[in-house]
mmCIF file of all heavy atoms in Angstrom:
data_model
loop_
_atom_site.group_PDB
_atom_site.id
_atom_site.type_symbol
_atom_site.label_atom_id
_atom_site.label_comp_id
_atom_site.label_asym_id
_atom_site.label_seq_id
_atom_site.Cartn_x
_atom_site.Cartn_y
_atom_site.Cartn_z
ATOM 1 N N ALA J 1197 8.636 -12.078 -24.178
ATOM 2 C CA ALA J 1197 7.394 -12.486 -23.491
ATOM 3 C C ALA J 1197 6.480 -11.288 -23.251
ATOM 4 O O ALA J 1197 5.256 -11.399 -23.394
ATOM 5 C CB ALA J 1197 7.734 -13.170 -22.169
ATOM 6 N N VAL J 1198 7.067 -10.148 -22.913
ATOM 7 C CA VAL J 1198 6.276 -8.930 -22.699
ATOM 8 C C VAL J 1198 5.699 -8.457 -24.025
ATOM 9 O O VAL J 1198 4.511 -8.145 -24.135
ATOM 10 C CB VAL J 1198 7.137 -7.824 -22.047
ATOM 11 C CG1 VAL J 1198 6.378 -6.508 -21.985
ATOM 12 C CG2 VAL J 1198 7.582 -8.253 -20.655
ATOM 13 N N TYR J 1199 6.532 -8.434 -25.065
ATOM 14 C CA TYR J 1199 6.066 -7.968 -26.367
ATOM 15 C C TYR J 1199 5.059 -8.914 -27.005
ATOM 16 O O TYR J 1199 4.189 -8.474 -27.760
ATOM 17 C CB TYR J 1199 7.246 -7.680 -27.294
ATOM 18 C CG TYR J 1199 7.936 -6.410 -26.902
ATOM 19 C CD1 TYR J 1199 9.222 -6.424 -26.379
ATOM 20 C CD2 TYR J 1199 7.288 -5.177 -26.987
ATOM 21 C CE1 TYR J 1199 9.848 -5.253 -25.981
ATOM 22 C CE2 TYR J 1199 7.899 -4.007 -26.590
ATOM 23 C CZ TYR J 1199 9.179 -4.047 -26.092
ATOM 24 O OH TYR J 1199 9.788 -2.878 -25.693
ATOM 25 N N ASP J 1200 5.128 -10.207 -26.703
ATOM 26 C CA ASP J 1200 4.118 -11.145 -27.199
ATOM 27 C C ASP J 1200 2.740 -10.792 -26.650
ATOM 28 O O ASP J 1200 1.737 -10.910 -27.354
ATOM 29 C CB ASP J 1200 4.481 -12.587 -26.842
ATOM 30 C CG ASP J 1200 5.579 -13.155 -27.735
ATOM 31 O OD1 ASP J 1200 5.904 -12.525 -28.772
ATOM 32 O OD2 ASP J 1200 6.115 -14.226 -27.387
ATOM 33 N N ILE J 1201 2.669 -10.341 -25.415
ATOM 34 C CA ILE J 1201 1.391 -9.893 -24.843
ATOM 35 C C ILE J 1201 0.974 -8.582 -25.493
ATOM 36 O O ILE J 1201 -0.174 -8.414 -25.916
ATOM 37 C CB ILE J 1201 1.486 -9.748 -23.314
ATOM 38 C CG1 ILE J 1201 1.631 -11.128 -22.667
ATOM 39 C CG2 ILE J 1201 0.252 -9.030 -22.758
ATOM 40 C CD1 ILE J 1201 1.877 -11.100 -21.174
ATOM 41 N N LEU J 1202 1.895 -7.643 -25.593
ATOM 42 C CA LEU J 1202 1.568 -6.335 -26.165
ATOM 43 C C LEU J 1202 1.134 -6.430 -27.622
ATOM 44 O O LEU J 1202 0.316 -5.632 -28.087
ATOM 45 C CB LEU J 1202 2.764 -5.391 -26.027
ATOM 46 C CG LEU J 1202 3.106 -4.978 -24.598
ATOM 47 C CD1 LEU J 1202 4.397 -4.183 -24.566
ATOM 48 C CD2 LEU J 1202 1.966 -4.187 -23.975
ATOM 49 N N ASN J 1203 1.665 -7.412 -28.345
ATOM 50 C CA ASN J 1203 1.309 -7.596 -29.757
ATOM 51 C C ASN J 1203 0.110 -8.520 -29.964
ATOM 52 O O ASN J 1203 -0.255 -8.809 -31.097
ATOM 53 C CB ASN J 1203 2.511 -8.124 -30.541
ATOM 54 C CG ASN J 1203 3.626 -7.103 -30.614
ATOM 55 O OD1 ASN J 1203 3.375 -5.896 -30.661
ATOM 56 N ND2 ASN J 1203 4.859 -7.557 -30.610
ATOM 57 N N GLY J 1204 -0.478 -9.018 -28.879
ATOM 58 C CA GLY J 1204 -1.662 -9.859 -28.983
ATOM 59 C C GLY J 1204 -1.388 -11.313 -29.302
ATOM 60 O O GLY J 1204 -2.322 -12.080 -29.524
ATOM 61 N N LYS J 1205 -0.130 -11.733 -29.318
ATOM 62 C CA LYS J 1205 0.193 -13.144 -29.566
ATOM 63 C C LYS J 1205 -0.169 -14.007 -28.361
ATOM 64 O O LYS J 1205 -0.516 -15.170 -28.510
ATOM 65 C CB LYS J 1205 1.679 -13.312 -29.875
ATOM 66 C CG LYS J 1205 2.080 -12.820 -31.230
ATOM 67 C CD LYS J 1205 3.551 -13.113 -31.471
ATOM 68 C CE LYS J 1205 3.977 -12.706 -32.854
ATOM 69 N NZ LYS J 1205 5.392 -12.998 -33.090
ATOM 70 N N VAL J 1206 -0.035 -13.424 -27.173
ATOM 71 C CA VAL J 1206 -0.382 -14.117 -25.926
ATOM 72 C C VAL J 1206 -1.521 -13.335 -25.290
ATOM 73 O O VAL J 1206 -1.426 -12.119 -25.115
ATOM 74 C CB VAL J 1206 0.841 -14.194 -24.984
ATOM 75 C CG1 VAL J 1206 0.454 -14.784 -23.645
ATOM 76 C CG2 VAL J 1206 1.960 -14.992 -25.632
ATOM 77 N N LEU J 1207 -2.601 -14.028 -24.954
ATOM 78 C CA LEU J 1207 -3.810 -13.352 -24.499
ATOM 79 C C LEU J 1207 -3.978 -13.301 -22.984
ATOM 80 O O LEU J 1207 -4.860 -12.605 -22.495
ATOM 81 C CB LEU J 1207 -5.041 -14.013 -25.129
ATOM 82 C CG LEU J 1207 -5.043 -14.012 -26.665
ATOM 83 C CD1 LEU J 1207 -6.266 -14.743 -27.194
ATOM 84 C CD2 LEU J 1207 -4.959 -12.596 -27.212
ATOM 85 N N LYS J 1208 -3.148 -14.053 -22.256
ATOM 86 C CA LYS J 1208 -3.253 -14.075 -20.798
ATOM 87 C C LYS J 1208 -1.879 -13.872 -20.184
ATOM 88 O O LYS J 1208 -0.881 -14.332 -20.716
ATOM 89 C CB LYS J 1208 -3.794 -15.427 -20.309
ATOM 90 C CG LYS J 1208 -5.260 -15.666 -20.597
ATOM 91 C CD LYS J 1208 -5.701 -17.003 -20.059
ATOM 92 C CE LYS J 1208 -5.547 -17.034 -18.563
ATOM 93 N NZ LYS J 1208 -5.982 -18.259 -17.922
ATOM 94 N N VAL J 1209 -1.864 -13.204 -19.036
ATOM 95 C CA VAL J 1209 -0.638 -13.121 -18.246
ATOM 96 C C VAL J 1209 -0.517 -14.453 -17.516
ATOM 97 O O VAL J 1209 -1.431 -14.855 -16.790
ATOM 98 C CB VAL J 1209 -0.698 -11.945 -17.246
ATOM 99 C CG1 VAL J 1209 0.502 -11.958 -16.323
ATOM 100 C CG2 VAL J 1209 -0.790 -10.617 -17.988
ATOM 101 N N SER J 1210 0.564 -15.151 -17.746
ATOM 102 C CA SER J 1210 0.746 -16.458 -17.106
ATOM 103 C C SER J 1210 1.038 -16.284 -15.623
ATOM 104 O O SER J 1210 1.438 -15.193 -15.174
ATOM 105 C CB SER J 1210 1.903 -17.209 -17.771
ATOM 106 O OG SER J 1210 3.136 -16.569 -17.464
ATOM 107 N N ALA J 1211 0.863 -17.347 -14.876
ATOM 108 C CA ALA J 1211 1.175 -17.309 -13.443
ATOM 109 C C ALA J 1211 2.650 -16.988 -13.245
ATOM 110 O O ALA J 1211 3.004 -16.214 -12.344
ATOM 111 C CB ALA J 1211 0.816 -18.645 -12.790
#
Side-chain angles (χ1 to χ4, degrees):
V1198 173
Y1199 286 112
D1200 283 348
I1201 291 174
L1202 292 173
N1203 293 327
K1205 287 184 177 180
V1206 174
L1207 302 177
K1208 288 181 62 178
V1209 174
S1210 69

